[in-house]
Amino acid sequence: ARVNRGFVEKMSNDNSYPMNYYRVFKSINKVISRDAIIIGEGANTMDIGRTVMGNYNPKARLDAGTFGTMGVGVGFALAAALVHPEKQIVCVEGDSAIGFSAMEMEVCARYKLPITFIVVNNNGIGTGVSKQPDTREGMFKKSPPPSLTVGARYDKMCEAFGGKGWFVDRPEELDYALEQAVAESTLPTLVNIAIEPKSQQENHKKFG
């Protein structure tokens, strides 16, 4: 446990560019209220979030569960906002996870649900790439199957439906964007956070 705690603390305080998962969650924890309902979905995003994202009350965290069923996150957030309009709803998604149900943000915007969506964007499923080939032929031959579009602007998608969005790729910009997003009380918001494509939950291997 001491080894893991030391690793998490070190990574959380790492302000290098591009950011890692733990640095992102450090800032996310600053803006989550103690009675918030938290939704987590993704691969590394969900796994790391389970271990480091603040969660203080029973039945206040929803995620993809043991089998890692993708596509449930935005629907969970929408339902939580309707059932608990008095609570802060924070939905933290990987970029692969948000792709399964992102169109439901239109429903969130139409009904003016103040959900804070946070996309931890590493340009891929599990791990991503920092650059894709320039041609279609190159994509077929050289693009790794789990990779996604580099720098996809999920924040613009939220804005297109009438919500508000922020794109962040540097740690010094992150706290401000998250604070602005959670302060919105009438519309969905989305903070799209670009991180190191190869960043992973590479530790938590030792216990005891």
Side-chain angles (χ1 to χ4, degrees):
R2 190 181 302 112
V3 172
N4 286 335
R5 193 160 51 244
F7 169 78
V8 170
E9 183 176 347
K10 177 183 177 182
M11 296 298 285
S12 297
N13 293 320
D14 180 1
N15 286 317
S16 61
Y17 168 83
M19 290 179 281
N20 69 73
Y21 283 100
Y22 297 89
R23 177 62 185 84
V24 169
F25 278 109
K26 177 184 177 181
S27 287
I28 291 174
N29 277 326
K30 292 179 183 178
V31 300
I32 296 177
S33 63
R34 290 187 71 90
D35 66 343
I37 295 179
I38 302 165
I39 295 93
E41 185 180 24
N44 294 320
T45 300
M46 184 178 71
D47 292 341
I48 296 171
R50 283 173 171 169
T51 64
V52 299
M53 191 160 52
N55 183 201
Y56 305 99
N57 298 306
K59 301 181 180 179
R61 179 192 291 269
L62 299 165
D63 65 28
T66 304
F67 296 108
T69 306
M70 293 292 103
V72 298
V74 180
F76 279 166
L78 199 160
L82 291 173
V83 174
H84 292 289
E86 79 286 1
K87 291 184 181 292
Q88 181 191 58
I89 312 297
V90 178
C91 181
V92 184
E93 301 268 314
D95 52 330
S96 62
I98 195 73
F100 284 88
S101 56
M103 288 300 291
E104 299 307 321
M105 279 191 285
E106 184 274 332
V107 178
C108 301
R110 185 165 17 115
Y111 284 90
K112 304 192 183 309
L113 301 176
I115 301 165
T116 302
F117 293 100
I118 301 169
V119 178
V120 186
N121 187 348
N122 70 341
N123 307 327
I125 304 168
T127 60
V129 294
S130 57
K131 189 178 186 302
Q132 291 281 20
D134 295 327
T135 65
R136 183 189 304 170
E137 182 180 4
M139 286 294 297
F140 281 123
K141 290 183 176 180
K142 297 181 180 179
S143 179
S147 66
L148 299 172
T149 298
V150 173
R153 297 299 300 271
Y154 302 101
D155 51 305
K156 296 293 186 183
M157 184 176 184
C158 185
E159 290 178 349
F161 292 131
K164 294 182 179 180
W166 292 262
F167 177 81
V168 176
D169 65 354
R170 295 188 176 274
E172 61 269 23
E173 304 168 343
L174 185 52
D175 286 358
Y176 174 79
L178 291 170
E179 289 165 4
Q180 293 295 303
V182 300
E184 175 56 54
S185 61
T186 60
L187 293 169
T189 58
L190 191 149
V191 183
N192 183 13
I193 307 169
I195 68 167
E196 165 57 50
K198 302 300 181 185
S199 181
Q200 297 186 63
Q201 182 192 5
E202 44 194 57
N203 280 289
H204 288 194
K205 295 173 182 174
K206 299 178 181 178
F207 297 89

